[in-house]
Amino acid sequence: MTAVPTARNRPGRRGLVLALALLRACRPRQWLKNLLVFAAPATAGALADPRSVLLCLATFGLFCLASAGTYLLNDVRDARHDRRHPRKRHRPIASGELPVPIAVVVGFLAVLAAPAASLALGNGALSALIAGYVLLTLLYTRFLKTMVVVDLVAVASCHVLRAMAGGIVVGVVLTSWFMIVVSLAALLVVVGKREAELRATGAPEPAGEADLDEEDGTHPTRATLLGYTTDYLSRMRTVASGAMIVTYCLWALEQGGGPQSVFHAVSIVPFVMFVLRYNLLVDRGSGEEPEEIALKDRPLQATLLSLVLLIGLGIHL
């Protein structure tokens, strides 16, 4: 007697469930980070050109494809540890909702397709940068995430590469001011994320370097956290925040004469408020998912909007 397929086990239903699980495993919320490709063209006033906007959108899509692939491969490698984490255990791969073979195949296809597809834009420097981004993220997944301090620099560098890509694809100059502020901002976000993760685990005592090769069977999160203390990460946040504010102030106050310079100078206020607000949220334990802060914290969104408007007025007036 032939079994009648139910709504749950029909092929079409199973395919839809797998597709949705795959999409969630690609972490579309974290694609917000790829908006950094618009930063350099925006500060250079290049987004008034429709062609530049289209190039940035294409680059944004390429980074979404590359990052989706690296998230899949990272979650496959971390699945055993994620199952012991109170939040990460619900990820599609860790929970078993998305089979590992599918995640591996799609992940590798995505990380190979992104640099290959970038060749269509005819910009060799951009293709090399995207390939470098993919290589760095794969090295992070395989090796660098177990190295104290190196893991912070590696993740921050991924953010910086995104910002560089926008300038490269449009052809604007990446000034030293821009690179310093972006690098420090990236470091601030990554350090804040690690600090929030450490606070969530109860801030365990730091381990020696030899103890970081394997994660303790009872520890619910990444091994490198055992090499940090909340005081150390908090001091790193302070250093990054202070240096970033000073650098931005020097840039804003050196933007020539005329009425537009006033907007650049006034933009210091929302910039400082943005940094202070972010640090407050991290101190409250909210920095573990930076994209959640960006999507949900209204005061942070208001200060960022004010900052963008003031910089825009300073550039285009």
Side-chain angles (χ1 to χ4, degrees), residues 226-250:
L226 298 174
Y228 295 116
T229 65
T230 52
D231 285 344
Y232 172 77
L233 293 172
S234 180
R235 285 194 294 270
M236 282 191 70
R237 262 196 305 120
T238 300
V239 170
S241 298
M244 183 169 60
I245 289 173
V246 170
T247 304
Y248 184 86
C249 289
L250 291 173

Side-chain angles (χ1 to χ4, degrees), residues 75-195:
D75 286 358
V76 167
R77 181 170 177 78
D78 287 353
R80 180 170 63 90
H81 302 310
D82 287 349
R83 292 187 188 104
R84 299 199 301 269
H85 191 281
R87 177 177 49 80
K88 295 179 181 179
R89 63 189 175 90
H90 298 296
R91 287 178 174 175
I93 297 173
S95 66
E97 189 177 354
L98 179 65
V100 168
I102 293 178
V104 171
V105 171
V106 176
F108 274 115
L109 287 176
V111 298
L112 292 174
S118 69
L119 295 172
L121 296 180
N123 190 319
L126 175 67
S127 298
L129 189 146
I130 293 177
Y133 167 84
V134 168
L135 178 60
L136 179 58
T137 53
L138 293 177
L139 287 173
Y140 173 80
T141 296
R142 184 64 182 88
F143 301 110
L144 303 182
K145 64 164 43 179
T146 64
M147 302 179 186
V148 174
V149 178
V150 174
D151 70 313
L152 302 177
V153 176
V155 178
S157 296
C158 289
H159 297 329
V160 175
L161 290 176
R162 291 176 170 103
M164 291 176 62
I168 289 172
V169 74
V170 174
V172 301
V173 176
L174 297 169
T175 66
S176 56
W177 297 113
F178 177 83
M179 292 302 299
I180 292 171
V181 171
V182 168
S183 298
L184 290 169
L187 184 61
L188 172 64
V189 170
V190 175
V191 170
K193 178 178 174 65
R194 289 291 183 273
E195 185 178 344

Side-chain angles (χ1 to χ4, degrees), residues 29-40:
R29 285 196 171 194
Q30 295 200 23
W31 297 351
L32 284 173
K33 302 169 186 174
N34 299 323
L35 290 174
L36 279 169
V37 302
F38 291 91

Side-chain angles (χ1 to χ4, degrees), residues 244-284:
M244 183 169 60
I245 289 173
V246 170
T247 304
Y248 184 86
C249 289
L250 291 173
W251 170 80
L253 295 175
E254 288 187 5
Q255 295 308 298
Q260 69 272 18
S261 63
V262 175
F263 293 108
H264 284 111
V266 175
S267 72
I268 293 173
V269 176
F271 183 86
V272 173
M273 291 178 63
F274 183 87
V275 175
L276 295 178
R277 176 68 183 177
Y278 183 79
N279 278 286
L280 175 61
L281 293 172
V282 172
D283 278 343
R284 290 176 175 175

